[in-house]
Amino acid sequence: MNINARDKVLGDGRSQSEDVSVADVAAALVAAISRLTHKIAAPTCKVAAGGKIQSFANHVVARRFRLLAGLSCECLMSLSPAHDSSMANAIRALAMDAVQQANSGHPGAPMGMADIATVLWTRHLRHNPADSTWADRDRFVLSNGHGSMLLYALLHLSGYDLPIDELKNFRQLHSRTPGHPEVGITQGVETTTGPLGQGLSNAVGMALAEALLAQEFNRPGHAVIDHCTYAFVGDGCLMEGISHEASSLAGTLKLSKLIVFYDDNGISIDGEVKNWFADDTPGRFEGYGWNVLRHVDGHDAAALDAAMVQARQFAAEGRGPTLVCCRTVIGKGAPNMAGTEKVHGSPLGKDEIAAARVALDWPYGPFEIPADIYRDWDGKPRGQSLQDAWQQRFDAYAEAFPAQAAELRRRLAGDLPAGFAEQAQAFIGATAARAETVASRKASQLAITAFAELLPELLGGSADLTGSNYTDWKGVTPVRATEQGLQFGRHINYGVREFGMAAIMNGVALHGGYLPFGGTFLTFSDYSRNALRMAALMKQRVVHVFTHDSIGLGEDGPTHQSVEHAASLRLIPNLHVWRPCDTTETALAWMAAVQRPASVGLKVREGGPSALLLSRQNLPFVERDAQTIAAIARGAYVLRDAIEPRAVIIATGSEVGLALGAQEQLAARGVAVRVVSMPCAEVFDAQDAAWRAAVLPKGLPRVAVEAGVTAGWYKYVGLDGAVVGLDTFGESAPAGVLFKHFELTVERVAAAVERIL
Ligand SMILES: Cc1ncc(C[n+]2csc(CCOP(=O)(O)OP(=O)(O)O)c2C)c(N)n1
């Protein structure tokens, strides 16, 4: 029993050593709760003390009391072990049945983690199944996303809008129960998981966003942002390198409200992990600065509850993130297959399911859940009461700090501030008027500097290349862990962790309240790639600043010179890849990236990430009239036309200068050509047919030029066109030397045009 809590509950000065009966505690609880709240809801709960079970009081109210008083009362309340296990068995049964029905899926992890999930979701997780978008809800991430039936069972049982028919339709076309959880499809799914390790990293991003938002918006006596992020991880997540990147940063930044449960079942697809994963996982996380709760029996509700109380205590005390190491049996309940890889990823089969029903004492048919189990799982009354209490706090906050409350609402909705579009346009106009010749990475910093003032939600960072990526701005402060807690800042030193950075940024975006961007060299986008893909799939507004975008970076040589990266990023659906040619295009690219819609809750439909590919070297400023400046936002536009052009040269980024040079050279030889700048092919492809035909008229031969692989460009130039590019790796030498060496020259572009005429 938590004596402090009891003392406070009793409030009568009795010392902790005094013997207090359960009835005393109950009476004091109810009295205290009554003083604090007049709304007392109905359901009863059982209170355990000294092995005796008594039924009294009201668990909704007790939890509300805990919430209001800031105390941990779980210790006072414990459902009976038999009851806990039937609630967990409901998860096991649904997982077995759904996987069997789909003839596909992963029953092992849901059955093994059912007890952990039951204790967490019914006693600790602060969520409201009736409102999956409640801003201050705890976040829950199933990083071992193959165990999706665990999450679907939890959502269904606790009362989210996920009817049993959806579970019967597990893994079927257009069901709300896809193979792996997908944000935007199923209410209550906070992130799309399946690529192992990334869910954990998303959770780190969510915890980071929570901590920053709390720093930014909470005021003394008004903790309107105050929630935990919980994640489930398996061996697979922890084997993945990204788990190191994200967990190391989480420990360094002391993200205390991050609580992770490790499903230590010793099994992965190939069998017993001890043969390929023999790390000292607890020691590893202690090394990161985490609190580690070792040897927790993942099937003992009381032990789990105690661990969760302890983890939340660490969170409340700001002692850093916590890893709860739970020993579990994969597929627990399947009498012949549990504990083996056989239950990991295939249906148990009719006979084993029948045997499991007997072993679990679960005499119900497939997808049948008895009413009392449904009733006990129902999280709506408790959730509503938690949300109501928060709403009252928020209303008080809004009264005391109306401007901050309005700003917080805007930020959480992902809306841009009123007037942003006009202010951004004014910046673009001023940029054009300044006519500066700088590197596009520098132009990007100019845009960041301007936009950071307009958008307090911009949260920058870099994977240890801040001074090269130019992702900081004058006056920005870094996020730091201090003795007093997280020091607020808008620049994150992600360290040399490109993949971790990208997945953490996804978590920040998913949490809401910030618009994250981060930088590295374009070549290292390969490291971050799957998280970019996930951002695109999840339609999250995240901006990647990829500098040093070609052989133009020079002496660092082929290891650092991107050749295939622009083309390869363009293959990712829903990722906007911008490769601007000067300050004006860079400012426009930034504006377009920021204006992609934010995805909030189930409104994850239109937005998406952007990648800005930026040069190390200076790029000449290009004059344009206002109409041409506006056309940049169309993705491709006529930059310089000619009277009756005989061909079109399409170029991006640093090669636009070559295209303009070739146009001049050809004009001198009597050959009129049009130059099209195509900073973003995806945006151009989405324009109406009239625009596309006006920019690239049918019948005009085309040449494309880009300092990278040529393959993707045939889509625009056709097989009769020509592409001037680079289909080999680069070399180590000064940039100017390399452009000549690889014949990325005005002469070659002009010659290519003449060849196709
Ligand atoms: C990045 C990545 N690699 C591979 C897989 C395929 N995969 C799915 S589950 C799994 C094994 C995971 O083992 P564990 O986390 O122990 O899960 P359990 O067996 O306990 O369900 C693998 C390799 C994946 N989903 N993601």
Side-chain angles (χ1 to χ4, degrees):
M1 179 177 283
N2 180 331
I3 299 300
N4 288 334
R6 188 169 63 177
D7 282 346
K8 282 187 192 161
V9 168
L10 295 172
D12 60 5
R14 269 183 277 191
S15 81
Q16 62 180 67
S17 57
E18 266 180 86
D19 189 25
V20 184
S21 75
V22 169
D24 273 342
V25 176
L29 249 179
V30 171
I33 292 159
S34 308
R35 282 200 298 277
L36 285 163
T37 172
H38 298 297
K39 277 196 220 149
I40 296 181
T44 60
C45 79
K46 292 164 184 170
V47 171
K52 267 197 278 169
I53 309 281
Q54 285 199 17
S55 190
F56 78 103
N58 173 318
H59 72 285
V60 173
V61 173
R63 286 196 168 88
R64 171 180 282 197
F65 173 78
R66 185 192 73 234
L67 180 89
L68 293 171
L71 301 172
S72 278
C73 293
E74 285 86 358
C75 47
L76 297 172
M77 309 162 21
S78 164
L79 300 170
S80 74
H83 189 86
D84 265 335
S85 65
S86 7
M87 289 177 78
N89 286 343
I91 297 175
R92 293 191 170 98
L94 288 172
M96 293 191 300
D97 293 340
V99 172
Q100 185 67 26
Q101 172 125 329
N103 197 22
S104 152
H106 302 76
M111 295 176 79
M113 293 198 85
D115 298 304
I116 307 171
T118 301
V119 177
L120 178 65
W121 276 58
T122 59
R123 302 196 208 174
H124 296 272
L125 192 74
R126 300 188 330 157
H127 66 129
N128 182 6
D131 182 0
S132 62
T133 62
W134 168 31
D136 201 36
R137 69 193 181 279
D138 286 340
R139 304 307 199 260
F140 175 80
V141 174
L142 185 77
S143 189
N144 44 353
H146 58 277
S148 55
M149 262 315 301
L150 174 60
L151 186 48
Y152 299 144
L154 287 164
L155 294 171
H156 169 72
L157 291 167
S158 54
Y160 283 80
D161 180 16
L162 192 65
I164 194 78
D165 282 349
E166 291 290 344
L167 275 62
K168 291 180 184 166
N169 244 345
F170 180 49
R171 295 192 151 215
Q172 304 310 305
L173 188 65
H174 299 146
S175 72
R176 279 185 265 159
T177 48
H180 293 81
E182 290 183 43
V183 69
I185 289 185
T186 319
Q187 265 184 29
V189 171
E190 302 281 2
T191 177
T192 300
T193 52
L196 296 171
Q198 281 193 68
L200 170 60
S201 313
N202 298 160
V204 171
M206 292 174 189
L208 175 62
E210 192 272 348
L212 292 174
L213 216 53
Q215 292 278 337
E216 207 181 337
F217 284 96
N218 288 351
R219 295 289 178 274
H222 295 273
V224 286
I225 298 292
D226 183 12
H227 52 267
C228 289
T229 301
Y230 295 97
F232 282 7
V233 302
D235 296 301
C237 291
L238 297 186
M239 278 188 255
E240 286 291 350
I242 191 173
S243 70
H244 163 72
E245 297 183 21
S247 305
S248 160
L249 188 64
T252 306
L253 292 180
K254 280 197 168 299
L255 300 179
S256 298
K257 290 199 201 148
L258 175 65
I259 299 174
V260 176
F261 295 85
Y262 168 31
D263 182 30
D264 181 12
N265 61 23
I267 294 290
S268 65
I269 293 180
D270 282 0
E272 290 184 36
V273 298
K274 65 175 187 224
N275 297 308
W276 47 89
F277 183 47
D279 300 3
D280 169 10
T281 295
R284 172 184 158 197
F285 276 77
E286 276 166 2
Y288 295 147
W290 287 51
N291 311 293
V292 177
L293 302 176
R294 294 168 181 252
H295 309 303
V296 177
D297 180 342
H299 303 299
D300 177 341
L304 286 163
D305 189 49
M308 290 177 204
V309 169
Q310 176 68 75
R312 288 176 56 193
Q313 190 69 28
F314 286 143
E317 292 168 5
R319 288 171 58 176
T322 298
L323 182 73
V324 186
C325 298
C326 305
R327 273 302 305 171
T328 63
V329 178
I330 188 168
K332 184 167 171 64
N336 306 302
M337 294 162 85
T340 72
E341 68 274 19
K342 288 188 200 133
V343 292
H344 164 91
S346 31
L348 299 184
K350 286 206 160 60
D351 293 346
E352 183 71 356
I353 289 178
R357 283 195 144 76
V358 174
L360 293 170
D361 190 17
W362 187 262
Y364 314 106
F367 299 102
E368 185 191 334
I369 305 288
D372 64 323
I373 297 280
Y374 267 131
R375 194 192 57 228
D376 292 341
W377 260 107
D378 186 2
K380 289 201 290 285
R382 172 177 168 259
Q384 197 57 53
S385 130
L386 286 167
Q387 186 169 350
D388 288 348
W390 175 82
Q391 190 61 51
Q392 279 177 19
R393 291 204 303 280
F394 190 85
D395 293 346
Y397 173 77
E399 210 169 302
F401 307 99
Q404 281 95 330
E407 176 69 355
L408 180 55
R409 277 197 207 98
R410 175 189 78 74
R411 295 264 298 265
L412 290 170
D415 296 334
L416 296 175
F420 170 75
E422 294 73 31
Q423 289 168 309
Q425 288 294 357
F427 167 73
I428 289 161
T431 300
R434 271 200 304 275
E436 284 172 294
T437 285
V438 293
S440 51
R441 62 178 169 145
K442 186 72 198 167
S444 162
Q445 191 180 39
L446 296 173
I448 290 169
T449 304
F451 289 178
E453 203 164 309
L454 305 175
L455 303 170
E457 57 266 52
L458 265 193
L459 180 66
S462 167
D464 206 40
L465 286 168
T466 303
S468 300
N469 303 144
Y470 293 149
T471 48
D472 57 352
W473 63 94
K474 202 160 173 248
V476 72
T477 50
V479 174
R480 292 281 183 266
T482 70
E483 287 297 310
Q484 290 73 44
L486 198 73
Q487 170 191 293
F488 179 75
R490 290 173 62 195
H491 180 82
I492 295 161
N493 299 96
Y494 285 101
V496 192
R497 303 182 179 102
E498 295 80 9
F499 191 12
M501 172 174 75
I504 290 170
M505 289 201 293
N506 290 349
V508 169
L510 285 157
H511 179 279
Y514 292 100
L515 197 172
F517 70 93
T520 185
F521 290 156
L522 177 57
T523 318
F524 305 135
S525 62
D526 285 339
Y527 277 54
S528 6
R529 188 178 178 90
N530 200 267
L532 270 142
R533 179 176 192 272
M534 293 304 289
L537 175 63
M538 296 192 283
K539 302 185 170 66
Q540 293 303 305
R541 187 174 58 180
V542 172
V543 183
H544 289 266
V545 174
F546 290 130
T547 66
H548 297 60
D549 70 347
S550 74
I551 54 165
L553 68 83
E555 293 85 342
D556 269 342
T559 54
H560 285 50
Q561 290 161 355
S562 298
V563 174
E564 74 280 28
H565 297 82
S568 130
L569 288 175
R570 289 184 188 121
L571 295 175
I572 299 179
N574 195 38
L575 173 65
H576 287 184
V577 181
W578 288 87
R579 190 163 185 262
C581 75
D582 70 350
T583 52
T584 313
E585 278 195 4
T586 307
L588 238 307
W590 256 109
M591 180 167 118
V594 161
Q595 286 183 325
R596 291 201 79 179
S599 294
V600 177
L602 282 191
K603 281 193 244 136
V604 187
R605 282 286 159 256
E606 312 133 44
S610 304
L612 310 184
L613 279 43
L614 305 167
S615 71
R616 172 179 186 249
Q617 73 276 26
N618 281 356
L619 302 183
F621 177 76
V622 185
E623 282 296 335
R624 298 172 190 79
D625 58 22
Q627 207 182 344
T628 313
I629 291 175
I632 300 170
R634 302 277 207 141
Y637 62 101
V638 180
L639 177 61
R640 287 269 185 286
D641 214 352
I643 298 169
E644 295 190 11
R646 293 174 57 200
V648 180
I649 306 175
I650 309 166
T652 76
S654 47
E655 286 65 66
V656 168
L658 295 182
L660 292 170
Q663 183 189 43
E664 265 181 41
Q665 224 174 60
L666 288 163
R669 288 186 227 150
V671 181
V673 298
R674 160 184 289 190
V675 172
V676 164
S677 177
M678 190 181 280
C680 186
E682 299 77 27
V683 168
F684 175 67
D685 289 349
Q687 302 302 309
D688 57 36
W691 180 267
R692 285 182 280 128
V695 174
L696 299 177
K698 274 205 176 84
L700 269 192
R702 300 164 194 172
V703 171
V705 50
E706 186 173 65
V709 294
T710 55
W713 285 106
Y714 289 97
K715 170 179 173 189
Y716 296 101
V717 302
L719 292 179
D720 296 330
V723 184
V724 176
L726 180 63
D727 284 312
T728 65
F729 290 114
E731 292 278 357
S732 173
V737 173
L738 290 175
F739 274 92
K740 281 202 193 91
H741 174 76
F742 289 107
E743 286 191 90
L744 283 160
T745 58
V746 167
E747 291 71 27
R748 184 160 158 230
V749 177
V753 172
E754 284 179 322
R755 241 193 349 268
I756 58 158
L757 284 179

